[in-house]
Amino acid sequence: RVLRGGHLPSEPARLAQASMVMRGARPGATLKLVSPVGSLVATPSPTFRWEPVAGATTYRLQLADAAGQVVFSRDVDGVSFALPAAVVLRPDESYAWQVETSGPGGTRIANFSEFGIVAPALAAQLAAARPAADAPVADRVRYAALLEALGLVEEARGWWKALAGERAGEP
């Protein structure tokens, strides 16, 4: 779902992550996408990540725009891929991505998810609100919570991880 103008959906509690199970795949033969999954991203060149499938050596990554037109497709060795700088995704638009591979016995295993690129106005507001690296913990916590509330889950996760690392001995 496209979030135009950086506005939050009116009913965020109704949003949910979805997955798909392909017929013919053996039990346990699944492909789990890690990021971006059902969230917004601040960069027009995100890095795609997924978990490895036992026995898979190559994965097929495809990226499509909201109209269903494939804008990028490539075979990838490994479980992450940074979108090349030459492929720039449009702000304030939604995209779908799919990863496909062959599992045990040659079965096709695939999964897909959607994500959106933040609108330029929201990106500018986030840049202005971003605390300095040496800012007080409360300011960095506030910023991480803001990112999460706006649906920028991956960016928020990075901030939370850094904050947790500073206080590794605390619950």
Side-chain angles (χ1 to χ4, degrees):
R1 177 164 118 167
V2 178
L3 300 179
R4 301 222 180 259
H7 298 290
L8 293 175
S10 59
E11 298 178 357
R14 293 181 55 189
L15 297 178
Q17 180 177 337
S19 64
M20 174 172 78
V21 177
M22 302 301 295
R23 290 184 190 160
R26 291 187 202 173
T30 61
L31 196 152
K32 182 180 179 192
L33 303 179
V34 176
S35 69
V37 177
S39 65
L40 290 174
V41 294
T43 176
S45 298
T47 297
F48 300 92
R49 293 181 179 84
W50 55 93
E51 292 184 358
V53 173
T57 56
T58 303
Y59 300 86
R60 179 65 147 170
L61 171 67
Q62 289 189 323
L63 178 63
D65 62 17
Q69 298 296 313
V70 175
V71 295
F72 183 81
S73 184
R74 178 168 297 165
D75 288 335
V76 177
D77 298 327
V79 293
S80 69
F81 184 79
L83 201 59
V87 181
V88 179
L89 305 180
R90 292 181 309 273
D92 206 19
E93 294 288 333
S94 293
Y95 293 88
W97 65 292
Q98 174 179 295
V99 176
E100 178 181 330
T101 191
S102 294
T107 57
R108 178 182 175 270
I109 302 169
N111 204 346
F112 77 97
S113 185
E114 296 177 348
F115 67 98
I117 308 294
V118 298
L122 180 58
Q125 290 173 343
L126 289 171
R130 182 184 180 110
D134 61 348
V137 171
D139 292 346
R140 292 179 287 141
V141 166
R142 189 175 309 114
Y143 186 71
L146 172 66
L147 291 171
E148 194 168 323
L150 291 172
L152 291 142
V153 178
E154 300 306 318
E155 284 83 355
R157 187 174 290 139
W159 283 85
W160 290 125
K161 186 175 182 180
L163 286 161
E166 292 178 19
R167 300 175 183 263
E170 295 181 25

